[in-house]
Amino acid sequence: MDNANLTEVCGNLEDMGSSLPEHFCRMVIRRMEGIGYTAWDTTGLWNLAFGIQKAEQEILDYCHIDVIPKKLYPMLCDRSCGQYLYGLKQSGKLEIEGIDLSGILTSLTEGDVKVDFDKGASDETRLDVLLGMMMNSGKGQLTCYRKLRF
């Protein structure tokens, strides 16, 4: 991981009004590298910070809280990465070749547990499933942190 990238993301987040710490930014960059995304440029780093801030604000608004608890950082990390990758996909700038889609579930059923790794599915389909899972990560977990608004 390049420290300049980390500094850039943290600075962009601070400019956007986020109070997330540097170690969270490091977590997000490492998560992106873990799925095979390493094509960073200045615009990409700003868009990553934008995805983080957007996911952060969605959680803050849903839970009616002022600060993201540390226990939600892994979920926020996945949601942030999903937001970033989804934005790239929608703009036609996402290069699928570098992303490891080999172990992506194409369906998951909870009642009587059914997991499907459809090897015949296209990379586009598997990417859509990955992005959907990442952007909706931990939805049930959020109810534990939700407060009533008066």
Side-chain angles (χ1 to χ4, degrees):
M1 174 189 335
D2 186 355
N3 282 335
N5 291 346
L6 179 62
T7 303
E8 182 81 16
V9 171
C10 289
N12 289 333
L13 266 179
E14 189 176 318
D15 292 345
M16 293 176 194
S18 176
S19 61
L20 290 168
E22 181 179 309
H23 69 270
F24 176 78
C25 297
R26 186 177 299 112
M27 178 190 297
V28 172
I29 292 172
R30 285 187 177 156
R31 177 74 168 125
M32 292 294 293
E33 290 172 351
I35 61 173
Y37 188 86
T38 58
W40 298 115
D41 61 10
T42 304
T43 303
L45 293 169
W46 187 90
N47 284 326
L48 179 61
F50 181 80
I52 293 169
Q53 204 282 327
K54 184 176 179 182
E56 176 189 20
Q57 195 60 52
E58 287 173 356
I59 292 170
L60 293 173
D61 291 346
Y62 179 81
C63 293
H64 310 295
I65 56 178
D66 296 325
V67 177
I68 302 285
K70 289 181 183 178
K71 290 183 179 183
L72 292 180
Y73 282 2
M75 183 217 29
L76 177 59
C77 178
D78 267 0
R79 284 178 170 235
S80 301
C81 293
Q83 288 284 352
Y84 175 70
L85 292 171
Y86 181 76
L88 282 179
K89 182 179 183 282
Q90 291 304 101
S91 66
K93 296 178 182 176
L94 181 59
E95 299 288 332
I96 301 177
E97 294 80 32
I99 299 175
D100 181 16
L101 299 170
S102 60
I104 304 300
L105 296 171
T106 54
S107 71
L108 174 67
T109 308
E110 290 184 35
D112 288 57
V113 184
K114 176 187 172 190
V115 177
D116 187 16
F117 294 92
D118 186 4
K119 297 296 180 184
S122 69
D123 282 349
E124 181 83 17
T125 301
R126 286 191 269 178
L127 178 64
D128 289 342
V129 170
L130 173 66
L131 294 179
M133 287 174 31
M134 290 179 87
M135 290 191 313
N136 294 306
S137 173
K139 201 170 199 171
Q141 187 181 4
L142 288 178
T143 57
C144 298
Y145 293 90
R146 195 160 193 207
K147 295 181 179 182
L148 292 176
R149 184 181 289 182
F150 292 101

